[in-house]
Amino acid sequence: MKPTIRDVARMAEVSISTVSRVMNAPETVVPSKRNRVIEAIKELKYQPNAFARGLIYKKSNTLGLLIPDIENLYFAGVIRGMQDACIKLGYSLMICNTDRDMERTLSYIDTFHEKQVDGIVFASDMLYPEYYEKLTGFRIPFVLVSSHSDEYEVPSVEVDDELAAYDAVKFLIELGHKEIGMIGFNHDNSVSGPPRAAGFVRALTEFGLERNTGRIKYANHRFEHAYQAAHELFSEYPELSAVFCVADEFAMGTISYLKDRNILVPGQVSVIGFDNLRMSGMFIPKLTTIAQPIYQLGYRAAEKLHELLTTGNVAVMKEQMEHKLIVRESSREK
Amino acid sequence: MKPTIRDVARMAEVSISTVSRVMNAPETVVPSKRNRVIEAIKELKYQPNAFARGLIYKKSNTLGLLIPDIENLYFAGVIRGMQDACIKLGYSLMICNTDRDMERTLSYIDTFHEKQVDGIVFASDMLYPEYYEKLTGFRIPFVLVSSHSDEYEVPSVEVDDELAAYDAVKFLIELGHKEIGMIGFNHDNSVSGPPRAAGFVRALTEFGLERNTGRIKYANHRFEHAYQAAHELFSEYPELSAVFCVADEFAMGTISYLKDRNILVPGQVSVIGFDNLRMSGMFIPKLTTIAQPIYQLGYRAAEKLHELLTTGNVAVMKEQMEHKLIVRESSREK
């Protein structure tokens, strides 16, 4: 049977309201009692469900958002969607920028806890055990956006990265391209890197183009890096007639590289991006890309967190939203 | 003589520590006393200086940043600079996105006050009296970045918008252009709009090209709007051979429009931007632009706020940083 707050109080030899205070405003409880309560919570593995938590804890009507890189155009759209949902639902939204730095991320979780946010949306980064432990230790409800966790049961909302990448590469193949490369995310710090690479490989394999599967160079989230990666890719495989880029920023960096080498896009090389950033329709040439519902992902993440905060649960744990191929000017039949 | 906390306490018939508590943690003071203190503060026009304030108030080591539009590429750089300064100085940084909406801005000032930020950086938006009253009412120290106030004595850091615009237009004139237009910010909600338009007019006038001074169309901070403004500008003045855009986003929108009309940049029309966004060196063609020290503006704003918080004052009230002309590919001799 699941332990109750009563069990914790009994084991710690304190009143139920003291247990509640330890969870709600620990600084108001003398350290000796506080430590007994914390020990009892740990020993019993007591977990108030989020609903009960919502009833016990003071609501601040503030949500926190942790994003890895404020300069990445992708997040601007996520933030806009999340903010609009927050306005509708009556929350203030506070944003902190982690730079994918573990120490900073942990420190911002501390800050959000001190500021008593009701919940956190955690965007795009890996949910390392350190983060999970701290968030659950503080009992801060949270959801993941553009990310998911295989290890933990955490609500998440994202697109199907593998299928989206598959669709992008299949599109290039159906245009007649047979020499195809890819600019991908470094796998070691990327949630979507491995599935997008898997989609690339699956499409090539399905159409008998396995010889391309090794033609991948990796970049680190910025178009400057993609420019460099494109240089490496085309130096090694000058025969390529199409490139799948796992981000629109990478597609822009790749096109910029090709332009500087006087290689025409799409005349000589087709480039397809991923994201459908606000920028992608204004770039020259306008980008063919896989559209993520960026705004909706942010909006949905806030709604999901609200659902978790108000009902203690979410109807769909791992939610996937639809992607869509947008054909513009950067791709052409071979 | 300036009133002291002692005068406030005497008039409100409470202790000095009660006055301090009203300023620090008003919710801990019974309403009747609290109201007497607030009345006395108002009547005496009592203003604790920020230094005394720092000594009285609890420090939260958190700064707040209010930005008008998280999707605007300009702010990403400001945020990065500010965040790096915060890390160096030991602050957490919380960001809220106002959409230049007055109600939302006021609400976020409330939120920052509730969360007890030590100070606020207010970016790019007009400092309306409503904002000033609320911030000073809460006694939250604040500085302006990419903005300034003519009405109030508020520390600020920005570039010299008039001179920067003048330099941009002078550069076009010295390339031999005589038919020059401009895509500007709408003046009614823009701090930098009027001085940049003034710089445009001054350069034209100085070089005897007054006939161009009316060739301005306005856009609303997004390249989509600049695309439309460029359409209006070139429909009305097809003879233009150069355009000064008050933002790199506008330059991209303008170039995108010209590309869709098959007008070559820089072959037929030179375009100069303003900002030197991360993107501007990756665009096709790479943008000639007036570089703002975007990162440094954010960095300096945080330092300035820190100076205000720790010393109660700033050495330079209205600080201007240097701009710089960056010549790339979007401009050419006439």
Side-chain angles (χ1 to χ4, degrees), chain B residues 9-284:
Chain B
R10 195 176 300 131
M11 175 176 281
E13 301 180 329
V14 299
S15 69
I16 288 173
S17 76
T18 300
V19 179
S20 161
R21 276 198 293 135
V22 169
M23 294 187 296
N24 186 14
E27 67 283 3
T28 65
V29 180
V30 294
S32 59
K33 280 192 189 180
R34 188 166 66 209
N35 290 337
R36 290 213 306 277
V37 171
I38 290 168
E39 282 307 306
I41 286 174
K42 278 191 190 161
E43 187 154 338
L44 292 168
K45 297 192 198 314
Y46 169 64
Q47 281 212 316
N49 69 43
F51 184 56
R53 188 185 176 287
L55 300 179
I56 296 170
Y57 285 59
K58 205 172 96 188
K59 298 265 285 176
S60 73
N61 295 317
T62 306
L63 303 184
L65 172 62
L66 289 171
I67 54 164
D69 179 8
I70 197 103
E71 283 196 273
N72 187 312
L73 297 159
Y74 175 76
F75 296 110
V78 172
I79 292 170
R80 173 143 310 276
M82 192 171 162
Q83 156 125 352
D84 284 354
C86 282
I87 289 164
K88 194 195 71 175
L89 298 166
Y91 295 100
S92 294
L93 176 63
M94 309 196 104
I95 304 152
C96 291
N97 180 46
T98 66
D99 285 329
R100 301 180 199 272
D101 176 294
M102 181 170 285
E103 196 185 330
R104 195 166 316 150
T105 304
L106 292 169
S107 153
Y108 274 129
I109 295 172
D110 284 333
T111 303
F112 277 146
H113 176 244
E114 282 162 27
K115 304 298 179 197
Q116 303 187 299
V117 299
D118 294 331
I120 291 177
V121 172
F122 189 82
S124 291
D125 203 0
M126 307 279 275
L127 183 65
Y128 293 105
E130 290 85 341
Y131 303 159
Y132 180 81
E133 298 294 335
K134 193 177 260 282
L135 286 161
T136 52
F138 284 149
R139 301 182 187 293
I140 303 177
F142 66 104
V143 308
L144 308 177
V145 65
S146 304
S147 181
H148 69 275
S149 173
D150 293 323
E151 295 82 12
Y152 307 109
E153 272 292 288
V154 177
S156 57
V157 50
E158 61 181 341
V159 296
D160 183 336
D161 285 300
E162 196 274 345
L163 181 60
Y166 171 88
D167 287 348
V169 179
K170 184 171 172 229
F171 170 74
L172 293 174
I173 295 169
E174 289 177 346
L175 284 176
H177 293 282
K178 299 196 186 311
E179 309 299 329
I180 304 174
M182 170 176 151
I183 310 281
F185 289 131
N186 283 323
H187 286 199
D188 38 335
N189 66 350
S190 164
V191 183
S192 57
R196 292 188 195 171
F200 173 71
V201 169
R202 178 160 71 95
L204 293 172
T205 308
E206 209 167 273
F207 288 87
L209 296 171
E210 291 89 344
R211 68 173 179 283
N212 289 296
T213 54
R215 295 172 175 181
I216 307 183
K217 296 293 171 187
Y218 298 97
N220 223 348
H221 299 283
R222 290 296 182 90
F223 48 46
E224 298 88 324
H225 305 139
Y227 186 101
Q228 179 57 31
H231 172 66
E232 291 164 18
L233 188 68
F234 280 88
S235 301
E236 204 166 328
Y237 309 106
E239 68 274 25
L240 295 180
S241 74
V243 185
F244 165 50
C245 295
V246 299
D248 283 350
E249 277 222 24
F250 287 6
M252 294 178 203
T254 299
I255 292 171
S256 184
Y257 166 77
L258 292 169
K259 164 87 181 164
D260 286 351
R261 290 257 331 259
N262 291 314
I263 296 172
L264 297 175
V265 177
Q268 294 165 269
V269 172
S270 286
V271 176
I272 184 168
F274 196 112
D275 286 338
N276 197 31
L277 299 181
R278 186 164 78 83
M279 192 60 157
S280 60
M282 198 63 66
F283 202 70
I284 297 172

Side-chain angles (χ1 to χ4, degrees), chain A residues 151-187:
Chain A
E151 294 82 12
Y152 307 108
E153 274 291 288
V154 178
S156 57
V157 51
E158 61 182 342
V159 296
D160 184 335
D161 286 301
E162 197 272 346
L163 182 60
Y166 171 89
D167 286 347
V169 179
K170 184 171 172 228
F171 170 73
L172 294 173
I173 295 169
E174 291 178 346
L175 285 176
H177 294 283
K178 298 196 187 311
E179 309 299 330
I180 303 174
M182 168 176 153
I183 310 281
F185 290 130
N186 283 322
H187 285 199

